[in-house]
Amino acid sequence: MKTSLKHAVLAGTAALALALSACGGNSNATGSSADAGAAKVETNTSGVLNVGIDLTYPPYDMLDGGKPAGFDVEFMDAISAELGLKPKYTDTRFAQIVAGIKADRYDVIASTLYISSARDKEVDFVPYFQTGNSIIVKEGQAALATAQDLCGKQVGVVTATVIAKILPAAESDKCKKAGKPAITVKEFPTDPEATQALLSGQVDAQMTDAAVAKTAVEKAKGRLSLSSRQLIYPIAVGLAVQEGNAKMQQALKDGLEAMKASGKYDELLKKYNLEPVDPAVLEESMKQA
């Protein structure tokens, strides 16, 4: 959750266990928004806004009764209506999602894609909300409140996420400078798999998005606890379009502004306990590799 960040600064509840597609595979699902009116922007398929999304990331992106659901789906249903388009959701595993937009397989990515300087070199962003990370541990385990508390621990994360890069690198460097062991990161294709690894004792902790972490703890029914209390690495999240697709970028920006004017944007943020993008957080996000 636009104008390119190269030119301007602008701006997830549900079941944990999901039907998973094979890593890298795609499947298509159509949204349930109102009939589209006159389209306000050209798309790959006339009258349809094809959205790249990883539907294994509740409460943002998931399947509910076989249909796409979650914050990003509700957001894109609303913005599609503003643009006179019908949303279509192309389920793509997260590690391949940027490659998919570069290959023109969909018009926009709406999949809780954290903004970073490296990603900004591959796509153009429209920031639409901000989140952060939380640490989950087994119930009764000693609290791990900060990233530095993870020194010497094995931590489960989702493949290709920003924290999968930060923890074994910059954060582990801090551990070493403090005379502590580095963090061992174990990557998993999806959050449910990382959570299962925690429950089975394969890792000492899991770090993931704050809203996802809260959902995982609630679904675990007393077996897990939310160990951290403050957001770790607050980050801006962006819709992404093909680099240079200024018309789609502007259309999404206009749709977002229309959602703000109607009150739908604030309604969705409140429903999912999310925040609009703080310019300072956006600036820091853009410093991430």
Side-chain angles (χ1 to χ4, degrees):
M1 64 22 189
K2 244 179 211 161
T3 300
S4 171
L5 294 178
K6 300 178 183 67
H7 303 98
V9 171
L10 176 213
T13 288
L16 179 63
L18 302 170
L20 301 177
S21 300
C23 184
N26 295 335
S27 62
N28 294 333
T30 303
S32 57
S33 66
D35 292 338
K40 297 180 181 178
V41 65
E42 184 178 347
T43 57
N44 290 338
T45 301
S46 181
V48 174
L49 185 65
N50 195 331
V51 182
I53 188 169
D54 185 343
L55 293 169
T56 66
Y57 196 52
Y60 298 103
D61 315 301
M62 58 200 169
L63 289 170
D64 185 7
K67 296 181 180 180
F71 172 79
D72 281 320
V73 173
E74 291 187 49
F75 185 90
M76 293 311 297
D77 281 355
I79 209 167
S80 295
E82 295 289 353
L83 300 180
L85 297 167
K86 183 176 183 178
K88 177 182 179 181
Y89 297 97
T90 298
D91 188 10
T92 305
R93 297 292 72 80
F94 195 80
Q96 289 80 41
I97 206 160
V98 170
I101 193 111
K102 294 173 74 173
D104 212 23
R105 287 201 285 270
Y106 23 83
D107 304 297
V108 57
I109 296 172
S111 195
T112 320
L113 189 64
Y114 291 1
I115 293 171
S116 70
S117 61
R119 286 176 177 161
D120 190 49
K121 293 181 175 69
E122 298 189 275
V123 298
D124 288 338
F125 279 116
V126 179
Y128 64 130
F129 73 94
Q130 70 180 37
T131 184
N133 293 279
S134 293
I135 300 170
I136 311 170
V137 298
K138 280 188 174 182
E139 180 62 34
Q141 183 179 322
L144 301 170
T146 70
Q148 279 296 287
D149 290 335
L150 298 175
C151 297
K153 304 294 185 182
Q154 296 188 71
V155 183
V157 303
V158 173
T159 301
T161 55
V162 172
I163 56 174
K165 298 178 180 179
I166 295 175
L167 292 180
E171 204 64 61
S172 284
D173 288 343
K174 293 180 184 178
C175 295
K176 293 172 185 176
K177 288 179 181 179
K180 296 181 286 188
I183 301 166
T184 300
V185 170
K186 291 191 175 182
E187 298 186 26
F188 299 88
T190 67
D191 266 293
E193 289 170 273
T195 302
Q196 187 56 47
L198 174 59
L199 287 167
S200 65
Q202 297 177 51
V203 295
D204 302 307
Q206 178 184 357
M207 182 184 281
T208 189
D209 176 270
V212 176
K214 183 174 182 291
T215 301
V217 169
E218 290 171 350
K219 296 301 177 181
K221 298 180 179 179
R223 293 181 293 165
L224 300 174
S225 66
L226 199 58
S227 186
S228 55
R229 299 303 171 194
Q230 301 295 322
L231 287 181
I232 301 170
Y233 313 132
I235 193 90
V237 184
L239 301 174
V241 301
Q242 272 194 343
E243 192 170 29
N245 190 348
K247 290 184 178 179
M248 177 59 67
Q249 197 173 36
Q250 186 60 48
L252 292 170
K253 177 182 176 182
D254 292 344
L256 176 57
E257 291 304 312
M259 286 176 64
K260 289 179 178 179
S262 71
K264 182 63 175 179
Y265 179 72
D266 287 339
E267 177 186 324
L268 274 175
L269 292 187
K270 182 177 181 181
K271 177 178 178 180
Y272 285 90
N273 196 31
L274 299 172
E275 300 176 351
V277 178
D278 183 321
V281 171
L282 179 57
E283 184 178 353
E284 286 301 312
S285 299
M286 281 301 300
K287 296 177 183 178
Q288 300 293 338

